[in-house]
Amino acid sequence: MESLVDPNLNADVYRNMTAADRPPVVDKNLQFILIHNEKSAILGGSNMTDRYWSGTIWYYNDISDFDRDKAFVALKTESVVCDGADLERDKFVIGEDSGVLQVLGLVEVADTHSQELQSLGYACLHDGSLLTLSVFEDNTHLVTGGMDYCIKVWDTAELMAIHSFSFAHTDIITSVDAQPRNNTTFVSTSLDCEALIWDIRQSNPAQSILKKDFGLTAVNWNTILDHIIAIGTENGDVTLVDIRKAGISILQDANVFPRSVHKLLFNPNPERSEELACCCDDTRVDVLDINNNFSSIYKNERHSDFVRGLAWYKDQLFSCSWDNTVSKHIIQSHKEL
């Protein structure tokens, strides 16, 4: 009797491959976009179709065209990139699916006098995917959260966790956001259906500001009206919360999307702080008026896959999607409509 041969040898083939042997796969699943100014921006994308999931960070010194071939420099990451934030011009921090927190910077190479994107340091203290991060006003501290239910506050210079809140929530932490003009306060949301506001100066740092019947998936602090917080849910709801009162006041609550909200982002322009950009697990990009019952200022379905990243720059809204494209949206003020 002939010996049996395993009919599927793919595992052995991949196991014995080196990185150079693997066929190239485009990191087309764009996760986030950050625009510091017209001469400094990054785009984060991942490959989620291959056997080995990895990521790429593209740096742009011109934001007129986000074609990947037009990037000034690029850097591969060993795992999927989930989120990112500016530290200063040409210096960024990213969170990865592996739990790694990594600081990247544009560095001049001495031998060639060319510039390249390099890792300036990294740490891996989360026990699961690092899904969300936000930098405090002083740029020397940031907060992270992820699939390990843990929230950490970091010193960005040393990449050390100065505060670690294990089981900060009882389910996956979906979003964190630092309060504008504040170095100690941030808000977090989780699939445990609760949003918490944190002040790391307090012995009991967390206070509940919202509980829903559905998991909470996105949060953003209004950069001008820093008592206003927008929160999104798995059910497609968007809730506006006023934290000035001790009892916490819900200003508006509406079902805006048919699917889970992914990202919320207020316009940083002081004259247009009522504009809230939103995307969900869909191809839509919406801008809502928080002063008018979430009425629609703008809606676009140009993308062909889930929209993941949003960025405001001079009243223009940029979005990136898993369809490997970046779109620019011209938003007219509701006063002009």
Side-chain angles (χ1 to χ4, degrees):
M1 182 177 178
E2 294 184 6
S3 60
L4 296 177
V5 177
D6 188 346
N8 187 349
L9 299 179
N10 282 342
D12 284 336
V13 170
Y14 274 98
R15 188 180 299 116
N16 296 321
M17 271 187 180
T18 66
D21 295 329
R22 297 171 195 157
V25 178
V26 177
D27 295 340
K28 75 179 191 69
N29 300 104
L30 302 182
Q31 296 286 103
F32 64 86
I33 181 171
L34 302 173
I35 300 176
H36 186 77
N37 58 32
E38 292 178 344
K39 300 295 182 181
S40 179
I42 64 169
L43 187 64
S46 299
N47 151 37
M48 298 182 181
T49 57
D50 194 23
R51 188 180 182 95
Y52 297 95
W53 286 14
S54 59
T56 303
I57 301 296
W58 294 272
Y59 175 88
Y60 293 83
N61 59 3
D62 181 356
I63 66 171
S64 62
D65 189 349
F66 279 98
D67 187 295
R68 249 56 79 232
D69 293 334
K70 302 290 180 65
F72 182 60
V73 290
L75 177 72
K76 293 287 291 184
T77 61
E78 293 184 357
S79 60
V80 168
V81 291
C82 298
D83 200 5
D86 282 311
L87 289 177
E88 55 191 67
R89 177 172 178 170
D90 299 341
K91 189 176 180 181
F92 315 91
V93 59
I94 62 170
E96 299 183 32
D97 184 62
S98 60
V100 166
L101 179 71
Q102 187 167 192
V103 176
L104 305 177
L106 195 64
V107 177
E108 184 172 317
V109 181
D111 295 339
T112 62
H113 298 290
S114 62
Q115 290 183 305
E116 62 181 34
L117 204 57
Q118 293 184 358
S119 174
L120 304 180
Y122 67 91
C124 186
L125 298 182
H126 279 278
D127 293 329
S129 298
L130 198 166
L131 299 179
T132 176
L133 59 87
S134 181
V135 177
F136 288 101
E137 180 75 13
D138 61 5
N139 282 349
T140 63
H141 297 87
L142 63 88
V143 56
T144 61
M147 294 187 72
D148 57 359
Y149 309 176
C150 181
I151 287 175
K152 294 183 183 294
V153 178
W154 300 75
D155 179 314
T156 56
E158 301 294 332
L159 278 186
M160 294 178 58
I162 58 175
H163 296 280
S164 186
F165 303 103
S166 299
F167 294 97
H169 287 269
T170 58
D171 207 329
I172 292 170
I173 295 162
T174 53
S175 187
V176 294
D177 194 32
Q179 185 179 28
R181 297 171 295 281
N182 190 300
N183 296 318
T184 62
T185 305
F186 62 92
V187 64
S188 63
T189 57
S190 168
L191 295 184
D192 66 6
C193 309
E194 190 168 20
L196 303 177
I197 189 169
W198 299 75
D199 187 340
I200 57 177
R201 297 170 299 180
Q202 306 298 323
S203 56
N204 295 314
Q207 175 190 356
S208 177
I209 59 171
L210 182 69
K211 289 184 180 180
K212 300 274 281 187
D213 294 330
F214 304 95
L216 306 186
T217 54
V219 67
N220 188 235
W221 221 306
N222 193 301
T223 54
I224 308 304
L225 306 172
D226 60 8
H227 57 280
I228 299 296
I229 297 172
I231 298 170
T233 77
E234 282 184 311
N235 192 44
D237 295 346
V238 177
T239 302
L240 206 63
V241 177
D242 186 339
I243 63 168
R244 286 178 297 183
K245 299 179 181 179
I248 308 298
S249 174
I250 295 178
L251 301 180
Q252 295 181 54
D253 190 10
N255 185 252
V256 177
F257 297 105
R259 297 181 178 178
S260 176
V261 178
H262 179 73
K263 190 172 182 64
L264 302 170
L265 192 64
F266 281 104
N267 190 335
N269 183 344
E271 297 180 358
R272 299 174 65 168
S273 61
E274 73 282 354
E275 295 177 356
L276 177 64
C278 319
C279 63
C280 66
D281 290 348
D282 204 340
T283 61
R284 290 170 51 180
V285 174
D286 289 54
V287 179
L288 309 176
D289 184 353
I290 66 168
N291 290 340
N292 193 20
N293 298 317
F294 291 141
S295 61
S296 178
I297 298 174
Y298 176 87
K299 181 178 179 179
N300 184 282
E301 297 185 60
R302 188 184 309 162
H303 289 291
S304 59
D305 206 334
F306 287 1
V307 180
R308 301 287 89 177
L310 299 172
W312 287 100
Y313 185 70
K314 291 186 176 179
D315 295 329
Q316 296 176 343
L317 180 65
F318 292 79
S319 61
C320 67
S321 164
W322 281 353
D323 66 7
N324 197 30
T325 65
V326 176
S327 292
K328 181 170 71 172
H329 311 269
I330 307 301
I331 313 298
Q332 286 186 305
S333 169
H334 70 289
K335 299 170 185 176
E336 302 169 356
L337 298 176

